[in-house]
Amino acid sequence: MGCGTSSVTDTRSEQVLKAALVIQNWYRGYSTRLKARQRYALTIFQSIEYADEQGQLQLSNFFSFMLENYAHIHEKDPEIVARLFGSTLQDYKDRQDYVAFVDVPNSYNGPRLQFPLTFTDIDLLVDAFKQQQILHARYVLEVLFETKKVLKQMPNFTHVKTSPSKEITICGDLHGKLDDLLLIFYKNGLPSGSNSYIFNGDFVDRGRNSIEILMILFVSFLVYPNDLHLNRGNHEDFMMNLRYGFTKEILCKYKILEDVYTWLPIGTIIDNEILVIHGGISESTDLNLLHRVERHKMKSVLMPPTPLDGDPDTSVKKKKFNATIVPQEVKTSASHSEQLTKHEWEQVIDILWSDPRGKRGCYPNTSRGGGCYFGPDITSKVLNRYQLKMLIRSHECKPEGYEICHDGKVITIFSASNYYEEGSNRGAYIKLSSGMAPRFFQYQVTRATCLRPLYQRVNAIESSAIRILRERIIARKTDLIHAFQLQDRSKSGKLSMSQWAFSMENTLGLNLPWRSLSSRLVTTDTNGDINYMSSFQDIHIQKPVKEAQSTLIETLYRYRSDLQIIFNVIDSDHSGLISVEEFRSMWKLFNSHYNIHIDDFQIDELAERMDLNKDGSIDFNEFLKAFHVVHKLDKLNKSGSGLL
Amino acid sequence: MADDKEREGPDITVAEFHKKIKDAFEVFDHEANNTVDVREIGTIIRSLGCCPSEGELHDLIAEVEEEEPTGYIRFEKFLPVMTEVLLERRYRPIPEDILLRAFEVLDPSKRGFLLKEELIKYMTEEGEPFSQEEMEEMLSAAIDPESNSVHYKDYIAMMVIDES
């Protein structure tokens, strides 16, 4: 410690000096511990987010797996394959005429757009959305159709030029957070002929205003197509939207959006020097190929090209995690013309999903489940290959809104502040022009009442992170107990910190600082040993069907997002109901692909129970909604029943 | 496990410290290449429960930096130094009563509070002065807006609860 107690012989000024040192020392320790807690909370959020994305891509594998086994399903339901992989409403989307039938009533008080659009429409929309008005579906549809028309004519990569008098502003992920977009426009001005922007993907999902953001961006694009540039992100994918944001209802209403996504350019190249893309690159990134591919055939990350002629070598599952890609033209039937080749598809996936890392080389991105981790050597190699100087990308939340790595060759720019939680991170944007170093502008949206002291903000983020972590824990309760008991030979109910941390990390697959987090998740005894069962107190999963066993409940809870997507896809008439038969066969496949050990008869029983009116169909939305975690200390806890 | 405790010795403690240090380090190792920005070292050390003064922190950094400072600290250099610090229980946190006495020294007339201007003056002019940002941060939580002063006993009590 810097100083001890003041001695009687110190002069007053010496005493004051020592006292100040004590307080400063203490405060700095406290403040940095707060920041460390904040960083830990972010780590939790991020781990879980990426684990979810990995789940998403696992789902993609599942669809492929299903298709490989489709013969069995096909017998029972010839339509199911078409439903899963085809778009049955193709011509419906192209018919702009039907838009004209959607009337805007006189009573509508929201913004009215005038086609052809002008800058007044941009102003109009921004003002209207600031007042939380809603744009009528008719206008949304018109904008989407127009946008698709214009996007179709654009190349895969937009080439832009800057000059000292004409800077360009680059923004990263917005994820439906309208406040951040409005703040950027407030600080930096609306888009115009003299104020160019690039929006680098992930406009939607997670935040509450995805449609509003799309409308502002698309209208601005339509008014200033040469100055407002949009790159596709991995969330500009209708199947990702199903999981993360848009309800099925909205997606059906605006089905044209699926097409608009696929026509978004892959990237932008500034002054022939700077490549701006959403995710990253891989060792084999081939910009020439990417300039040529028919980008609109990349429908969704969950719909990889299918080996329709049953060639065993072209198994997509194997190829996905193979960083060195062998180009193979898959010669299949006519429907091949609607798909990209596997090689092309993977090239696009790499662009949308990869992350830079410090380790040299290129290897599979295991936390997301798709794309690569690429090292500084890969960056140099690929940039040199195409005589480029820098890569600007987004895709990862950074506490300061931006981050520079790979010796200044890679910049990550992220524009959704408070992404995980109020106070979690800043957002940022870049302004640059040729010959000048990029300038960074940071911000953080706060509600007017929310100028809270740091410790309150950190407490809020931390509670939120711990809460979702505990939900993960309860979802794996059975597996965790099993892992704990394997190490607890004496059945004392206790483990050492090391043993506990090891079990947690292995079972949950989350790389987190468990030792530091332990005080928030479990109780310890006086010897420093962990009472491992204490993580399951105060929290349990609501059982929609009383008699169902714990493992089944946990599994269904854990996979509820995936199941939601699968069910939504099967439910082609959007009735919210699927037949008991469909449920059974889907579940059996899911079971075998994900290697879940649930007996068929348990599922059958569950299906019976879920079919409440015994008419052979299941209302799956109701069923899945019923699976939620109850935090005992929540005031809203209605169940009051005992632990699982 | 409880019964294994007797068999544990200093080796286990060192191993545990190593793990703890590694965990904390990784949280700040953004590029997953076993280095952190030197500016984050203070945060890492303090997150492990130690309270070095700025001067002591400076010395620690000098110990773990490269011969030619790169702005980055490598884990291989950090680990042994930090392990020693933990084993020797160096830089223990300041006990509550010492902290209280420090405030009382600055409040000789024993009012029970310090005025905002007084706190600012002491914190930014004495000892190892605060930056403006640090000062604002401290004020946001410490100052009672109605009286524009810090009632330090309550303030300390609040901070202590928050940390436990």
Side-chain angles (χ1 to χ4, degrees):
Chain A
M1 199 161 54
C3 66
T5 49
S6 307
S7 76
V8 179
T9 51
D10 281 343
T11 62
R12 169 75 189 151
S13 66
E14 280 168 352
Q15 282 183 347
V16 165
L17 173 66
K18 283 184 179 170
L21 278 171
V22 165
I23 297 172
Q24 286 156 345
N25 182 351
W26 162 79
Y27 185 76
R28 284 179 170 128
Y30 168 74
S31 154
T32 39
R33 274 191 299 281
L34 270 185
K35 290 182 181 137
R37 279 164 61 193
Q38 183 179 36
R39 187 61 65 84
Y40 284 169
L42 283 180
T43 307
I44 294 176
F45 282 125
Q46 207 159 57
S47 293
I48 291 182
E49 179 186 27
Y50 295 170
D52 269 354
E53 287 188 341
Q54 185 178 84
Q56 185 75 359
L57 284 152
Q58 233 195 341
L59 193 63
S60 163
N61 284 339
F62 172 62
F63 282 142
S64 321
F65 170 84
M66 265 206 34
L67 197 60
E68 283 161 33
N69 293 274
Y70 84 100
H72 309 287
I73 327 168
H74 205 252
E75 279 158 32
K76 295 201 175 151
D77 182 354
E79 297 286 86
I80 204 166
V81 174
R83 280 212 298 252
L84 282 172
F85 285 90
S87 195
T88 48
L89 300 168
Q90 195 58 48
D91 48 7
Y92 191 53
K93 283 186 226 165
D94 287 342
R95 293 197 55 236
Q96 196 163 346
D97 316 324
Y98 89 100
V99 171
F101 290 119
V102 181
D103 261 338
V104 183
N106 288 335
S107 56
Y108 169 68
N109 277 331
R112 289 169 186 266
L113 300 176
Q114 294 235 359
F115 288 79
L117 298 168
T118 61
F119 67 89
T120 25
D121 295 293
I122 305 178
D123 276 328
L124 188 65
L125 270 189
V126 169
D127 284 335
F129 291 154
K130 271 190 194 149
Q131 293 164 52
Q132 285 156 28
Q133 291 174 6
I134 296 185
L135 186 63
H136 195 277
R138 153 71 178 276
Y139 295 121
V140 175
L141 286 166
E142 284 202 73
V143 169
L144 290 177
F145 274 114
E146 271 305 307
T147 306
K148 176 183 169 180
K149 225 164 64 176
V150 180
L151 281 178
K152 269 178 99 152
Q153 293 159 25
M154 305 199 59
N156 291 350
F157 285 86
T158 317
H159 288 256
V160 304
K161 290 227 164 295
T162 63
S163 67
S165 55
K166 195 177 181 203
E167 280 182 311
I168 192 163
T169 305
I170 304 168
C171 301
D173 296 27
L174 285 169
H175 280 298
K177 306 191 106 236
L178 183 60
D179 287 344
D180 286 282
L181 182 58
L182 295 176
L183 186 56
I184 294 171
F185 284 162
Y186 175 72
K187 285 170 70 111
N188 198 52
L190 288 175
S192 73
S194 52
N195 194 12
S196 298
Y197 277 89
I198 299 176
F199 285 92
N200 200 16
D202 280 10
F203 320 127
V204 299
D205 278 346
R206 299 186 71 113
R208 292 179 314 137
N209 296 107
S210 297
I211 293 279
E212 283 76 17
I213 293 208
L214 286 180
M215 285 300 107
I216 293 180
L217 292 180
F218 290 159
V219 166
S220 305
F221 167 70
L222 289 170
V223 177
Y224 298 111
N226 297 321
D227 295 293
L228 194 304
H229 310 284
L230 300 170
N231 293 339
R232 190 176 185 185
N234 63 312
H235 277 260
E236 272 73 57
D237 179 324
F238 71 100
M239 299 214 78
M240 292 288 278
N241 291 169
L242 268 176
R243 173 190 277 260
Y244 282 107
F246 291 130
T247 62
K248 199 188 182 198
E249 189 196 316
I250 295 192
L251 279 176
C252 290
K253 211 154 134 192
Y254 302 132
K255 205 155 177 31
I256 179 82
L257 185 55
E258 286 175 29
D259 274 0
V260 175
Y261 284 158
T262 62
W263 280 108
L264 285 167
I266 295 171
T268 309
I269 298 178
I270 305 175
D271 296 329
N272 277 326
E273 284 186 338
I274 303 179
L275 177 62
V276 186
I277 44 176
H278 178 73
I281 51 178
S282 79
E283 188 163 51
S284 55
T285 289
D286 180 350
L287 277 187
N288 295 324
L289 178 143
L290 285 165
H291 268 80
R292 285 192 321 258
V293 305
E294 294 177 86
R295 69 181 189 270
H296 66 286
K297 290 182 179 173
M298 167 58 170
K299 302 265 173 232
S300 165
V301 70
L302 263 72
M303 291 167 60
T306 57
L308 288 172
D309 61 2
D311 182 350
D313 284 334
T314 55
S315 159
V316 178
K317 241 198 296 194
K318 284 191 222 132
K319 282 285 189 270
K320 191 168 301 311
F321 285 86
N322 186 353
T324 55
I325 296 163
V326 178
Q328 273 187 25
E329 286 292 320
V330 178
K331 299 263 186 294
T332 59
S333 54
S335 57
H336 164 60
S337 64
E338 284 153 28
Q339 303 179 105
L340 295 174
T341 64
K342 227 169 298 302
H343 178 55
E344 289 168 340
W345 192 81
E346 276 166 351
Q347 286 273 322
V348 180
I349 292 279
D350 284 341
I351 296 290
L352 298 180
W353 283 81
S354 299
D355 292 313
R357 284 293 181 268
K359 191 163 152 187
R360 297 171 68 83
C362 182
Y363 45 105
N365 189 326
T366 45
S367 60
R368 297 206 200 244
C372 312
Y373 288 133
F374 60 99
D377 52 328
I378 304 292
T379 299
S380 296
K381 202 162 92 174
V382 173
L383 289 180
N384 286 341
R385 199 186 285 162
Y386 300 104
Q387 285 115 49
L388 297 166
K389 295 219 178 107
M390 196 192 289
L391 171 65
I392 297 182
R393 45 87 64 177
S394 305
H395 197 40
E396 284 182 292
C397 176
K398 297 292 176 192
E400 293 300 314
Y402 73 96
E403 191 172 270
I404 308 178
C405 63
H406 291 191
D407 300 318
K409 296 213 179 94
V410 176
I411 299 179
T412 301
I413 186 75
F414 194 85
S415 302
S417 66
N418 303 327
Y419 176 55
Y420 293 117
E421 182 59 72
E422 177 84 30
S424 64
N425 64 289
R426 289 174 148 151
Y429 58 88
I430 308 173
K431 290 192 78 103
L432 56 82
S433 66
S434 64
M436 313 234 311
R439 295 182 295 143
F440 296 90
F441 294 82
Q442 297 166 296
Y443 53 85
Q444 195 158 12
V445 169
T446 44
R447 279 173 259 138
T449 50
C450 258
L451 289 168
R452 295 183 290 175
L454 182 62
Y455 80 94
Q456 276 186 22
R457 284 181 276 143
V458 172
N459 277 339
I461 312 174
E462 201 178 38
S463 310
S464 187
I466 296 290
R467 194 185 166 95
I468 58 176
L469 185 54
R470 294 181 78 208
E471 288 180 6
R472 288 279 144 147
I473 290 172
I474 197 76
R476 301 299 295 263
K477 178 174 169 176
T478 308
D479 289 339
L480 280 169
I481 294 181
H482 183 66
F484 293 149
Q485 284 173 343
L486 270 178
Q487 301 201 65
D488 179 18
R489 307 280 164 71
S490 57
K491 304 206 189 307
S492 56
K494 296 179 197 281
L495 288 178
S496 72
M497 175 70 78
S498 218
Q499 290 167 319
W500 178 81
F502 175 79
S503 309
M504 294 296 278
E505 173 135 349
N506 260 26
T507 313
L508 294 173
L510 292 172
N511 180 13
L512 292 174
W514 293 107
R515 284 161 184 76
S516 310
L517 294 171
S518 59
S519 58
R520 308 285 305 224
L521 299 171
V522 282
T523 58
T524 3
D525 66 12
T526 41
N527 292 327
D529 291 323
I530 309 269
N531 301 312
Y532 55 80
M533 292 302 289
S534 58
S535 355
F536 309 118
Q537 288 168 8
D538 304 335
I539 181 168
H540 65 274
I541 303 174
Q542 185 81 347
K543 269 199 226 186
V545 179
K546 280 216 179 75
E547 296 80 357
Q549 288 187 16
S550 311
T551 29
L552 177 58
I553 298 293
E554 282 168 33
T555 308
L556 285 168
Y557 176 73
R558 209 152 78 227
Y559 288 104
R560 67 198 187 290
S561 307
D562 294 348
L563 290 171
Q564 182 100 44
I565 297 183
I566 296 172
F567 289 157
N568 276 322
V569 170
I570 300 175
D571 175 31
S572 57
D573 61 0
H574 319 312
S575 60
L577 303 171
I578 57 168
S579 75
V580 173
E581 272 313 300
E582 283 172 331
F583 173 74
R584 279 208 185 96
S585 45
M586 193 54 50
W587 182 263
K588 284 186 170 101
L589 273 178
F590 192 86
N591 211 350
S592 61
H593 177 77
Y594 280 84
N595 267 322
I596 301 164
H597 306 294
I598 304 271
D599 296 325
D600 282 353
F601 87 86
Q602 279 191 49
I603 291 298
D604 285 347
E605 269 191 9
L606 193 62
E608 292 286 338
R609 294 250 160 67
M610 282 157 70
D611 177 12
L612 295 171
N613 53 5
K614 303 293 167 226
D615 67 349
S617 67
I618 297 167
D619 184 339
F620 61 87
N621 278 319
E622 284 307 310
F623 172 66
L624 286 176
K625 263 192 218 156
F627 282 92
H628 59 276
V629 170
V630 180
H631 295 265
K632 193 173 182 189
L633 304 172
D634 277 0
K635 292 186 183 127
L636 299 170
N637 179 6
K638 292 176 194 130
S639 84
S641 57
L643 301 170
L644 264 183
Chain B
M1 292 188 276
D3 26 0
D4 282 350
K5 264 289 179 182
E6 289 89 49
R7 281 173 261 157
E8 280 178 13
D11 297 329
I12 304 288
T13 321
V14 168
E16 271 306 299
F17 280 159
H18 279 182
K19 277 270 166 158
K20 211 170 160 190
I21 296 169
K22 184 163 188 292
D23 275 353
F25 195 89
E26 273 176 6
V27 172
F28 294 88
D29 176 12
H30 306 302
E31 300 201 11
N33 61 353
N34 290 326
T35 65
V36 300
D37 191 318
V38 64
R39 291 166 292 185
E40 314 244 53
I41 286 292
T43 314
I44 298 174
I45 293 176
R46 285 168 175 145
S47 77
L48 289 164
C50 302
C51 294
S53 68
E54 289 292 284
E56 287 162 337
L57 187 58
H58 199 75
D59 294 338
L60 267 175
I61 290 178
E63 264 187 80
V64 296
E65 257 182 339
E66 305 296 321
E67 317 279 293
E68 309 244 341
T70 58
Y72 286 94
I73 306 295
R74 288 186 298 122
F75 182 65
E76 299 85 57
K77 286 205 105 176
F78 182 69
L79 182 65
V81 174
M82 195 63 219
T83 311
E84 276 301 298
V85 167
L86 288 181
L87 280 171
E88 293 172 13
R89 298 175 66 77
R90 263 192 264 163
Y91 315 129
R92 294 278 83 206
I94 297 164
E96 209 178 315
D97 53 339
I98 304 277
L99 187 55
L100 183 58
R101 250 182 281 169
F103 274 102
E104 285 170 348
V105 163
L106 301 180
D107 174 28
S109 41
K110 308 269 175 272
R111 296 162 298 176
F113 62 85
L114 286 175
L115 292 172
K116 180 172 165 187
E117 300 75 45
E118 290 170 339
L119 185 64
I120 294 178
K121 177 161 156 304
Y122 288 127
M123 293 295 103
T124 57
E125 292 178 18
E126 300 283 349
E128 293 169 332
F130 274 173
S131 66
Q132 196 189 351
E133 206 185 321
E134 283 173 315
M135 194 66 246
E136 280 170 12
E137 223 177 73
M138 184 184 192
L139 288 173
S140 71
I143 291 285
D144 164 30
E146 290 189 12
S147 58
N148 236 9
S149 59
V150 182
H151 294 263
Y152 46 84
K153 252 198 178 149
D154 297 333
Y155 176 55
I156 294 173
M158 182 172 71
M159 296 288 114
V160 165
I161 290 174
D162 186 49
E163 288 245 86
S164 56

